[in-house]
Amino acid sequence: YSHLGKHLGLFLVSLIFALSLAVLVARTISSPISRLRERAMKISEHKQGFSGTVSGPDEVRDLNQALHGMTVDLNRALVEAKHLTEELDERVRERTLELERASRTKDEFLANMSHEIRTPLTEVFGMTDVLLTQPLPEPVREDLETIRTSFRTVLTLLNDILDLTRIEHGKLKLHPQPFELREMVRTLARPYEMRARSKGIGFELSLDDDLPEEVVCDPDRIGQVLKNLLSNAVKFSEQGTIVVKVRIEQRAEHKTVLRFSVSDNGIGIPGEKQEQLFQPFTQLDPSYSKRYAGAGLGLAISQRLVELMEG
């Protein structure tokens, strides 16, 4: 038993020594690694740079040095990225200003040219009207009618360009005034009804019985929108009936919301092209401009006018 006890004592002493050594080694290695881990986490969160030394075995010191080098490279890359971002932002700002200046120059040129061209055209248009009041041979009268129609088309296009330019620059102002709603709609629709019936197309005008007799709004701009819709309805229809309706959508004490609608049996609009409807200078089909004429401005202007009138 004494021999066994001696061996057992030696075993316990060896075990204690081994455990102590393991603890010492663990502290020597794990503590520096733990500090390295904490520093690496702070670097990843951009809370601090990687600096200072960590004591420990050669491998731990090498790892510390490697992380320090990576931190220096990372900081350098971040500074360069910041400079590049600032330079890119500056270039974008300069390019944006250039585009805005070019857009303003283009719009001002269009507006000025439209105005300069419209003045003599208006004079020629008026002189044509005066000539048509005189007794003329029929061939001459027909030629003058053709001239007047052509001038009217050009004037409409120029006016549309001017209106679109004013709207996009916030310079188009509404001029509200009291007017008789029913009379305005009837008067405006009459020439389109005549054109429709001359093509063999039916025409119906439906006005709510309880419409207010007088409203305060901009009658010229309401009329401009209705003219665009009616012109399209007559232009693109070869059969069926054009129906114009005016209804009360909502009535309050000092404000009435009216719904104007124009429907027809025209050529229709493919679903995938409907989003192009209100894009300026856009025709849904290239052949339309030859078959039906027009610059593709009417609906774009109508939409903006309706928005100006809080519609």
Side-chain angles (χ1 to χ4, degrees), residues 105-247:
T105 301
K106 177 205 68 175
D107 292 336
E108 289 172 1
F109 173 78
L110 282 175
N112 291 334
M113 287 300 297
S114 298
H115 180 74
E116 294 298 325
I117 295 173
R118 186 174 60 170
T119 301
L121 281 178
T122 303
E123 294 175 356
V124 175
F125 188 76
M127 292 174 62
T128 306
D129 279 342
V130 172
L131 287 174
L132 285 170
T133 62
Q134 307 298 320
L136 298 167
E138 193 59 31
V140 175
R141 180 173 296 278
E142 290 177 359
D143 289 343
L144 285 174
E145 291 283 1
T146 301
I147 291 172
R148 184 171 65 172
T149 300
S150 299
F151 274 121
R152 182 184 289 114
T153 301
V154 175
L155 281 172
T156 300
L157 176 59
L158 290 173
N159 287 331
D160 284 347
I161 292 174
L162 287 171
D163 282 345
L164 189 62
T165 303
R166 292 193 193 103
I167 291 171
E168 291 181 344
H169 287 80
K171 294 182 179 180
L172 190 144
K173 304 298 182 183
L174 299 176
H175 300 284
Q177 56 184 289
F179 64 94
E180 294 183 2
L181 177 64
R182 291 174 177 274
E183 182 61 27
M184 187 276 286
V185 175
R186 288 194 182 102
T187 301
L188 183 144
R190 195 167 295 126
Y192 296 97
E193 179 179 5
M194 296 172 61
R195 287 166 53 190
R197 297 195 183 283
S198 68
K199 294 178 64 175
I201 302 170
F203 193 97
E204 296 180 8
L205 181 60
S206 176
L207 306 177
D208 261 4
D209 292 337
D210 56 349
L211 286 177
E213 288 299 323
E214 190 175 76
V215 297
V216 178
C217 193
D218 189 328
D220 294 332
R221 295 307 177 182
I222 290 180
Q224 186 175 351
V225 176
L226 284 176
K227 287 177 182 177
N228 275 319
L229 297 179
L230 284 167
S231 177
N232 282 345
V234 175
K235 182 192 302 182
F236 293 106
S237 296
E238 300 297 336
Q239 61 181 357
T241 301
I242 295 172
V243 181
V244 182
K245 294 182 180 180
V246 184
R247 299 279 184 267

